[in-house]
Structures are given as C-alpha cells and as structure tokens.
Amino acid sequence: MIRLKFTEMAKILITGSADGLGQLSAKSLADQGHQVVLHARNSERARYAKQKVPGAEHVISGDLSDLDETINVAYGANAWGRFDAVIHNAGVYQTPTREIFIVNTIAPYILTCLIQKPKRLIYLSSSMHLHGRANLENFKNDYPRISYSDSKLHVMMLCMAVARKWSDVYANAVDPGWVPTKMGGQGAPDDLQKGYETQTWLAVSNDSRPKVSGRYYYHLAERRYNPQAGDVMLQERFLSLCRDITGVPFPQ
Ligand SMILES: NC(=O)c1ccc[n+]([C@@H]2O[C@H](COP(=O)([O-])OP(=O)(O)OC[C@H]3O[C@@H](n4cnc5c(N)ncnc54)[C@H](OP(=O)(O)O)[C@@H]3O)[C@@H](O)[C@H]2O)c1
C-alpha cells in the first residue's frame, strides 16, 4: 500500500466523471475531503454522476463532442473560480474517428484555453500514444482519419506545450494502464485502483515529486513518452491548427 501525503482541501474539476476512472478519481478525492466538481455529457448523466459521488460539490453538463457545449463547460467551470487542479479525463475509444478527434483532441485544447489557469493540470493519455502519429495534415478534413492512438499523442503534445509555456502551472500526463472500465472492457488486466491513483496524486499530493511539469506517469512512476510530443515545431503547428478549427487562441 503506497502512502500518499495530501494537501489541505483542494478544488478539483474532473471531466467525464459520470463513469470509469473519472468517477473513481472523483470518489477518492471527495472521500479525502476535497471539493470536487464533476462533469457529465448531459443532465441525465449529471444526475447519475451526482448519485455515484454524493460528496461532490456540483456537476457541470456539456457534450464534449460539440464545440459550443465544450465552450459552455469552460464558462460553467469558471463560475467556480480558479481550480487547484483540472483532470482532463473524458475520452472515447471505439467510436467514429471524427468523435475521437473532437472529444479526445479538440475538447481538452478548448478547455485548457478557456478555463481559468489552475495550479495543476493532468491529462489522461494512454500507452497507445507511443504508436500514434501527429497526423496534422488531417486536422482540417471533414472526416479526419485520426486514430485513438493519434488522439492520445495529441493530448501528450498539448500537455508538453502547456508545460513549456505556462511556468506557473504543473502540467503532467498519465497512462492509467489497461483497466476494466466501460472503455477498457471486463477482461482488462491492470489494477483498477492503480488506474486512478496517479491522477489523484498529481492533483493534490503535497509531496515534492508531483510538483513538476512535462512528465508522463504510469502507476506513480515516470515513463518515457513519444518524442513527437516534445517536438516544439510540431507543438506549435498543433496549437495553431487547433486555434484555426475552434477559433479559440492558446493564451500565452
Ligand atoms: N480504461 C483503459 O484501459 C484506459 C487505458 C488508457 C487510457 N485511458 C484513458 O482514461 C480516460 C478515462 O477512461 P475510462 O476507462 O474511464 O473510460 P470510460 O469508462 O468510457 O469513461 C469515459 C468518461 O468520459 C465521458 N465522455 C465520453 N465522451 C464524452 C462526451 N462527448 N462528453 C462528455 N463526456 C464524455 C463518459 O461519459 P458517459 O459515461 O456518459 O459515456 C465517461 O464518463 C480516457 O481519456 C481514456 O482514453 C483508459
């Protein structure tokens, strides 16, 4: 059992917290006495999320496959003032490529840009990002051929760009492992608790270890990431394409 040293109460937003790792992270943080704001795709899922995490403070609704709704999620979050941590957790896997692109790549970009800068940002990536391609030439296609692995590389690129540009924020990424959630499937071999422990540790721990930026973790240990994520030219091109598609500039 790993002993974690936590801060006093923190205010944390977790996207996609109606189910899976988002819900488990939210429960764990709320049980520790932190102020947790949930997020769900619509009002029905929001009610479900609140039932599952009764200790949470509030639920913001908004479908991250819709750009306007995603912008409204950011405004809804800002109504709560500055968060100590935002966990960009929501994601989709076996869905049409356009939905993968919008939910996994574009929504975290919009939310990062529009939510008042928190002290800590945590991005849920995946070991599958190691096989991803930046695929930037596909961004402006109506039906972008962006795979799940590509989208999880984009999340890494976004995280590393934020870490480079915002020196006052700790921005890090997590591979939760292949765990038995709705996305991972019942036969997933990894430990479910370890699947959310790293994000909650990065969000609130008072240890010195998580007070870093631009790192990628698996089960509390740092791992190497795809070098494309650290390529500054690719990051800049990525940010400028995201700006063109969404109309939302990246705040410097
Ligand atoms: N499970 C794994 O093995 C694994 C491995 C590597 C990385 N990850 C990453 O870990 C994160 C969490 O995955 P998980 O396993 O917990 O998946 P999950 O059980 O499928 O949960 C995903 C969450 O995201 C929400 N979501 C999906 N699309 C949304 C949309 N358009 N608008 C708003 N919310 C939306 C879902 O809402 P609903 O419940 O309403 O559908 C759900 O709450 C993801 O980013 C995933 O890529 C997971």
Side-chain angles (χ1 to χ4, degrees):
M1 177 76 178
I2 294 156
R3 284 189 170 278
L4 304 174
K5 205 165 93 193
F6 292 108
T7 51
E8 54 281 2
M9 194 187 78
K11 186 166 61 174
I12 305 136
L13 170 67
I14 307 170
T15 68
S17 34
D19 213 332
L21 296 174
Q23 185 201 93
L24 290 166
S25 305
K27 257 191 201 147
S28 164
L29 290 165
D31 287 350
Q32 291 163 37
H34 296 290
Q35 193 183 4
V36 175
V37 175
L38 307 168
H39 158 258
R41 65 171 76 228
N42 56 34
S43 52
E44 191 188 325
R45 294 300 284 159
R47 272 195 301 279
Y48 179 82
K50 191 69 176 73
Q51 264 170 26
K52 290 289 178 184
V53 192
E57 192 84 14
H58 180 71
V59 195
I60 297 169
S61 301
D63 185 341
L64 301 184
S65 65
D66 181 293
L67 298 193
D68 290 337
E69 288 202 26
T70 304
I71 290 169
N72 281 332
V73 169
Y75 293 152
N78 287 339
W80 286 82
R82 186 185 185 203
F83 283 90
D84 295 294
V86 175
I87 304 179
H88 290 282
N89 165 84
V92 287
Y93 177 41
Q94 282 168 323
T95 55
T97 55
R98 181 160 180 80
E99 188 178 342
I100 286 179
F101 178 58
I102 301 294
V103 175
N104 293 4
T105 302
I106 295 298
Y109 168 82
I110 292 177
L111 296 176
T112 300
C113 294
L114 295 182
I115 293 177
Q116 198 184 340
K117 246 190 222 176
K119 294 178 192 149
R120 303 181 187 200
L121 277 162
I122 298 107
Y123 295 90
L124 266 289
S125 181
S126 159
S127 61
M128 287 174 73
H129 93 275
L130 294 165
H131 312 291
R133 292 182 307 127
N135 225 340
L136 301 180
E137 63 284 1
N138 251 303
F139 270 40
K140 288 191 174 171
N141 291 350
D142 284 342
Y143 296 96
R145 280 181 297 184
I146 304 284
S147 69
Y148 176 79
S149 303
D150 298 344
S151 75
K152 289 299 169 180
L153 172 60
H154 297 150
V155 168
M156 292 297 302
M157 292 167 74
L158 175 61
C159 174
M160 298 310 154
V162 170
R164 176 170 60 83
K165 285 169 176 280
W166 291 355
S167 56
D168 50 346
V169 173
Y170 301 129
N172 294 291
V174 174
D175 164 24
W178 181 11
V179 290
T181 58
K182 191 163 64 182
M183 181 183 290
Q186 284 181 352
D190 257 331
D191 183 309
L192 188 56
Q193 182 175 340
K194 288 202 165 79
Y196 63 85
E197 223 167 41
T198 307
Q199 328 35 329
T200 57
W201 172 70
L202 286 168
V204 298
S205 171
N206 208 16
D207 287 350
S208 54
R209 275 206 306 145
K211 291 184 183 165
V212 291
S213 217
R215 313 289 172 96
Y216 169 60
Y217 292 91
Y218 167 75
H219 295 182
L220 300 167
E222 200 181 332
R223 286 280 167 102
R224 286 202 182 166
Y225 55 83
N226 186 326
Q228 289 177 89
D231 181 324
V232 172
M233 298 263 284
L234 268 185
Q235 286 172 9
E236 288 300 323
R237 179 93 184 106
F238 168 78
L239 294 178
S240 99
L241 283 164
C242 288
R243 184 202 55 213
D244 292 351
I245 290 166
T246 62
V248 177
F250 185 87
Q252 294 303 317

